Amino acid sequence: MDFTPTETQAAARELAARIFGDLATHERLAATGTGSDPELWKALCGAGLVGAVEELGLLGLVLLLEEQGRTTAQVPYATGCVYGLLALTAHGTPEQRERLLPGIRDGSVVVSGAFPAQGGVRVSPRGGPAELTGVVPVVPWLRDATHALVADGDHRLWLVPLAEGTEVTPVELTAPWSAGRLTLHGARAERLGGPGAYGDVLATARTAFAGLQAGVCAGSLARAVAHVGTREQFGRPLATRQAVQLKAADAYMDTEAIRVTAYEAAWRRDAGLPYATHALTAAWWASEAGQRVVHTGQHLHGGAGADLGHPVHRHFLWGRQLDAYLGCGGEVLQELGELIASGE
């Protein structure tokens, strides 16, 4: 295994860090509220950082999502790349790729994902155009999307244009992800991929969101370290206290564990190797350790960490939302154990 970024991946990460750093400032995020930042999204697409994921692979996307997580930038980058660009590249037909990929690259087409599979989504009987009926309670960044990738109870993937036959109701989550409830009233849909597509897209999503969590945790820890290095108590910086040092060290080790497991899963996918168990391992670390890190980041800020207007509180909200989205640690661990036991 070699997780060293290629020259292209390193350059893309540097560009992403600069764009996120310039535009996802605390002041702009506070002004954005719970919605997305269209100017930032336009800048990312204009710089080619969406289309570049085709060449950068999943490992490259994880590197870029780390930079988004550091700043908690409010754009549909993870969903658009995972459920749109990578899903179509891997499982779309030539006609689907030719029709949809140009719009995904320039940002005019945004695909969100209704994952994991919802048993309530039903497909019309065969014999005519596929029509979907049912409700998906929460879909991240749905309010920014033009299409939704929906998995039915049989783990088949359907690409649904958000037009006639669909209803989007805003849902406010812990983190400001422009989420919504998707109601399908006989919505027209087209099939994406074959029997193995669902498992691949789900593992890709878990890996990508684990990478996003690594960035959220790194940003939270960086803010905490800066705070305790300058905040004095009884004439000494808080950073000189052994208890503070140990808390920060534990958070650092947790963050590195999230990062390295996400890197491994992404590297294996790019190399064409089985990676379902590795994606679950990354998801477990991101869920279980991620919530510990953002709690520590808030704790080390003392009273300031409880201030809803403080930047570190945003990392706390994102970390808890990613914990919920990936699934609680016990659930993920059970699924991982069952997958290992099955020998698949």
Side-chain angles (χ1 to χ4, degrees):
M1 293 179 290
D2 183 4
F3 305 147
T4 305
T6 65
E7 186 176 336
T8 303
Q9 288 172 336
R13 179 171 62 179
E14 182 180 343
L15 177 59
R18 187 162 64 249
I19 293 174
F20 285 128
D22 288 345
L23 295 180
T25 61
H26 174 58
E27 293 74 20
R28 283 179 56 85
L29 287 167
T32 300
T34 61
S36 294
D37 186 340
E39 183 179 343
L40 174 55
W41 181 241
K42 182 178 179 181
L44 288 171
C45 295
L49 288 176
V50 175
V53 173
E54 290 178 86
E55 179 184 352
L56 300 175
L58 182 54
L59 180 55
L61 176 59
V62 165
L63 294 172
L64 300 181
L65 289 175
E66 275 192 82
E67 300 305 327
Q68 179 185 2
R70 290 179 200 276
T71 58
T72 62
Q74 293 169 201
V75 285
Y77 196 34
T79 55
C81 288
V82 170
Y83 301 121
L85 189 132
L86 290 179
L88 278 163
T89 300
H91 304 290
T93 65
E95 187 277 331
Q96 287 174 323
R97 293 196 293 268
E98 182 179 358
R99 171 164 46 92
L100 294 168
L101 284 179
I104 292 174
R105 295 185 191 108
D106 66 25
S108 60
V109 174
V110 178
V111 183
S112 190
F115 275 69
Q118 306 290 325
V121 175
R122 302 180 301 279
V123 184
S124 61
R126 295 180 180 179
E131 295 181 349
L132 271 57
T133 302
V135 177
V136 184
V138 178
V139 182
W141 284 289
L142 184 64
R143 282 177 267 167
D144 297 329
T146 59
H147 295 70
L149 187 62
V150 178
D152 63 25
D154 295 322
H155 289 183
R156 294 173 296 182
L157 295 184
W158 302 91
L159 192 61
V160 183
L162 298 180
E164 185 178 353
T166 65
E167 179 184 345
V168 175
T169 306
V171 174
E172 296 302 336
L173 302 180
T174 302
W177 284 4
S178 296
R181 179 171 64 251
L182 177 62
T183 305
L184 304 165
H185 305 283
R188 292 291 183 93
E190 56 182 309
R191 183 77 182 273
L192 183 69
Y198 172 79
D200 177 58
V201 173
L202 180 57
T204 300
R206 283 169 165 159
T207 304
F209 279 95
L212 185 61
Q213 182 75 299
V216 170
C217 291
S220 175
L221 183 57
R223 291 188 183 279
V225 169
H227 176 78
V228 299
T230 56
R231 175 73 169 176
E232 290 192 1
Q233 191 177 64
F234 304 114
R236 294 169 54 192
L238 287 172
T240 62
R241 310 289 177 177
Q242 187 179 43
V244 171
Q245 294 171 0
L246 291 175
K247 292 282 286 185
D250 285 343
Y252 174 78
M253 293 302 295
D254 274 338
T255 302
E256 288 302 296
I258 299 169
R259 177 182 288 115
V260 74
T261 51
Y263 283 7
E264 181 180 13
W267 175 84
R268 289 183 67 89
R269 187 213 189 246
D270 292 342
L273 300 171
Y275 73 109
T277 56
H278 300 79
L280 277 166
T281 301
W284 181 82
W285 273 105
S287 175
E288 192 81 356
Q291 55 91 13
R292 287 199 299 265
V293 174
V294 295
H295 272 265
T296 295
Q298 196 170 34
H299 184 196
L300 292 179
H301 276 79
D307 181 359
L308 300 183
H310 195 284
V312 77
H313 189 70
R314 192 177 293 109
H315 290 269
F316 174 78
L317 296 178
W318 275 64
R320 292 314 308 257
Q321 184 60 57
L322 282 161
D323 170 28
Y325 187 65
L326 288 164
C328 76
E331 293 176 343
V332 175
L333 200 59
Q334 179 179 348
E335 185 178 347
L336 174 59
E338 291 172 352
L339 186 60
I340 293 173
S342 70
E344 296 181 3

